[in-house]
Amino acid sequence: MKLKHKIFKYTLSINLIIIIIISSLFLIFFISNLKRSTLNNIYLVNTSLNNSFEECFSYIEKTLKNILENNDTIFVFDNNPIISGYAKKTLNKKFNEIIDSKYCIENMSLIQNSKTIVGDYEENKTNFFIKNDTPYIQIEKVLQSDNNRKLLLLFNLKKFYENFINNLKDNKYYYLLIKTDNEFYNLNMNEMSKLENINNFLFLKDRFYSSSVTKNLEFNIIFSKNYINNLLFWIFFIFIFLFLFSILMLIIVSNKLSNNLVRSLNKFMVFSKSIGSRDFKQFIPNEDDEDEIKELSSAFNNMSKKIEIFTKNMEQLVAERTEEIEAQNEELETQNEELEKINKKLEETSVRDGLTGLYNRRYFNEKVEEDFELAKRNGMYFQMCIIDIDHFKNINDTYGHLIGDECIKSVTTILKENLKRYTDKAFRYGGEEFVFYDISNKNENFEKLLKKIRKEVEESKCIINELEIKVTISIGACIAKPKYEDIYEKFIKEADEALYDAKEKGRNRIILRKN
């Protein structure tokens, strides 16, 4: 991985982890505070609602008390029509004043034996009822002088709630929860409905309001969870947007940071490569590069100068040393060539017979086994002969060893002329004896070759210092395909025995044993 990618990767990873941790802590803190603040708001709103109810019902209590203490309430039931009529007009006027008040009293009536005496409101069977999606509370007060006479007051709960809720922020998410006979009703700004499940709302269970005026009725302000869910949705949406935007900005910043760091490093890399190619140019940093880069470039330039001087000195030293080494190498090559020539001569001398120039017996022992095994593996004929100069001892005794050596040379010359194809197969075996062998797929020519050699030796004359000496040879030979268990010594023995037979039978002849 390139350094730029590593810097970008590590910078982005570290900052991304930090952003995730901070964002998660912020989100957790915000959500927990949201619920806490919502419950606090509900508490405050319920407290305010209780105060409003207390104020309203205190006024109603006081109003009912004042009406009941008024003499007109008694005079209404007087037998005198003039007195009762005047009392009714007075009470009607008083009722109308109360109905027009701010405390949401919509109607009032004086009832006797379920019959309306004053007012136009007729008694309802229940204290809480809903009419035209509007909840009402019927409040009654019995006259102390007669239980059959009572004062009824109709309280518009919806109007009261609207007056109260209009002063609240986000009032469309607040609801008035009405509990009566274990049934729950939900009142908001738009409608009134019965609740089957109140788990979709947040509310304080210990904040239900009840009063002696509102028998079997309890009230509570509840808060819709949809508002919180909607708020959380937008919070998450904004959070994700800001998070992705932060990542995008982080990528841009990390990429720019890595580019700025790597840009100078790339320059140093190019500069280093130029030093490697012996281009000792000076590194010039940009004006906007960091101070550390400028200091590093200065150190690099000083190092480049020192390397340039050192390189030139080393090149001069290497050139001088190279000349010395080349001169020494030329001398060594000359010496090696002379040594190779000497070694070749020594090697040749070690395997050649000094008198005849043929290979000696030591080389024969090395060579014959290798060729014999080759013939055995390939199923070829192994043809061998031993040649001996007849009466050679008498020649030495009569004419001396020098003349004997000349006779040997004469025979060797004839052998070389006939064995040009087999020069690496002809050997001086010892004294006046020679060995020759061949491997071949056929055995016809070997015997003809031996006869030719014997005849040419017989017909030749060895003339030394005007001295003519007649020389003949005897040949013992064998021809066969070696078997797996055969060894070459067996063939030497066969050829040697054949030579012995040739000597016994009068010399100057060939004895050939086949198979």
Side-chain angles (χ1 to χ4, degrees), residues 14 56 127 143 241 244 313:
I14 293 172
C56 182
N127 290 334
L143 274 67
F241 173 77
L244 294 177
N313 293 335

Side-chain angles (χ1 to χ4, degrees), residues 35-140:
K35 184 176 181 181
R36 189 184 300 112
S37 62
T38 303
L39 292 175
N40 287 336
N41 288 337
I42 294 175
Y43 175 81
L44 294 175
V45 171
N46 271 290
T47 302
S48 178
L49 177 69
N50 293 346
N51 293 334
S52 298
F53 269 128
E54 286 294 333
E55 179 184 355
C56 182
F57 291 149
S58 294
Y59 171 79
I60 292 174
E61 284 277 2
K62 184 179 179 181
T63 300
L64 292 176
K65 183 178 179 182
N66 290 334
I67 292 175
L68 292 176
E69 291 177 353
N70 195 312
N71 291 327
D72 291 328
T73 306
I74 299 173
F75 292 150
V76 167
F77 303 101
D78 193 274
N79 293 325
N80 189 332
I82 298 174
I83 296 175
S84 61
Y86 179 80
K88 287 182 179 178
K89 289 180 180 179
T90 303
L91 283 178
N92 271 323
K93 184 179 179 181
K94 187 70 174 178
F95 285 175
N96 290 331
E97 290 177 358
I98 295 173
I99 291 172
D100 292 337
S101 69
K102 65 177 181 178
Y103 292 101
C104 306
I105 300 172
E106 193 164 292
N107 210 338
M108 292 184 67
S109 293
L110 181 63
I111 305 295
Q112 181 181 19
N113 296 325
S114 300
K115 182 179 178 182
T116 302
I117 304 300
V118 179
D120 56 1
Y121 170 66
E122 295 182 0
E123 182 180 7
N124 196 63
K125 294 181 180 180
T126 59
N127 290 334
F128 175 76
F129 62 93
I130 299 172
K131 183 177 180 182
N132 298 326
D133 288 332
T134 301
Y136 293 97
I137 300 176
Q138 178 180 278
I139 302 173
E140 64 180 36

Side-chain angles (χ1 to χ4, degrees), residues 7 94 112 123 141 146 172 217 243 252 299 326 329 343 345 391-392 486 490 515:
I7 295 174
K94 187 70 174 178
Q112 181 181 19
E123 182 180 7
K141 192 73 174 178
D146 190 348
K172 62 181 179 179
L217 286 175
F243 181 75
I252 295 173
E326 287 178 352
N329 287 339
N343 287 334
K345 288 180 180 180
H391 304 294
F392 184 74
D486 288 342
K490 178 181 177 182
N515 300 325

